Amino acid sequence: MKAEFTDFIENTYHREIDSISISDLDGLLHELTTQHKDASVSLVLSRSDADYISVDLVGENVYLVQFERIAQNGSFFTRLFKSSNISKTIDGLSATKQLAHDYMVNERLSFEKMHS
C-alpha cells in the first residue's frame, strides 16, 4: 500500500510514500488536516493505479472521500446502472480514519460493499 499527497488543481505539490501500514494513518491524516488544510492537496491511498481512495479536506473537520467502483458485484442490470464513481462526505476525523482503515484491511469487494 502506498500514499501520495498531490495537488491536482494547481499541480504544485506532490509527495509519494511507497510503503505504509495502518499505524501510519494517524500521521497521514494529521498532515492532511494541518499542513495542507489551506491548499488543494489530496491524500491518495492506493494498492494500484486502479485501486485507490482519495481523501480531501473540504471544510472544518469535513472530508470528501472518493473512489472508483472496480469490484463486479450484483446482477448485470445492477452493475449496468450503478455509478462507477463513489463520493462520500464524512463528518469527523475518526470516521474518515475508519473508512481508510477499512480500505487498508479489507479486500476490494468487501470494502465496496461496506462503503458504497
Side-chain angles (χ1 to χ4, degrees):
M1 180 88 41
K2 74 176 185 176
E4 294 178 68
F5 287 98
T6 303
D7 177 356
F8 289 108
I9 296 174
E10 296 176 9
N11 206 21
T12 58
Y13 183 79
H14 182 85
R15 183 168 73 91
E16 195 169 312
I17 306 158
D18 286 328
S19 182
I20 63 165
S21 67
I22 292 169
S23 63
D24 297 316
L25 274 178
D26 282 331
L28 294 167
L29 290 169
H30 179 71
E31 181 176 336
L32 179 67
T33 59
T34 58
Q35 295 178 13
H36 305 298
K37 68 179 180 180
D38 296 325
S40 56
V41 173
S42 299
L43 169 61
V44 179
L45 305 176
S46 64
R47 294 184 184 112
S48 69
D49 288 342
D51 188 350
Y52 68 90
I53 64 170
S54 173
V55 181
D56 295 282
L57 182 63
V58 294
E60 189 165 328
N61 209 25
V62 178
Y63 300 84
L64 176 66
V65 178
Q66 301 178 82
F67 55 95
E68 296 292 320
R69 183 185 315 276
I70 59 175
Q72 296 298 319
N73 57 356
S75 70
F76 170 75
F77 288 108
T78 301
R79 291 192 316 260
L80 183 65
F81 294 108
K82 275 186 183 175
S83 171
S84 64
N85 185 4
I86 299 166
S87 295
K88 298 183 85 162
T89 303
I90 300 175
D91 288 323
L93 182 59
S94 63
T96 304
K97 181 181 175 186
Q98 182 61 52
L99 186 141
H101 178 271
D102 292 346
Y103 173 72
M104 292 180 77
V105 300
N106 290 291
E107 295 293 324
R108 186 59 190 226
L109 180 59
S110 297
F111 171 73
E112 287 185 16
K113 283 181 180 179
M114 292 167 59
H115 293 287
S116 61

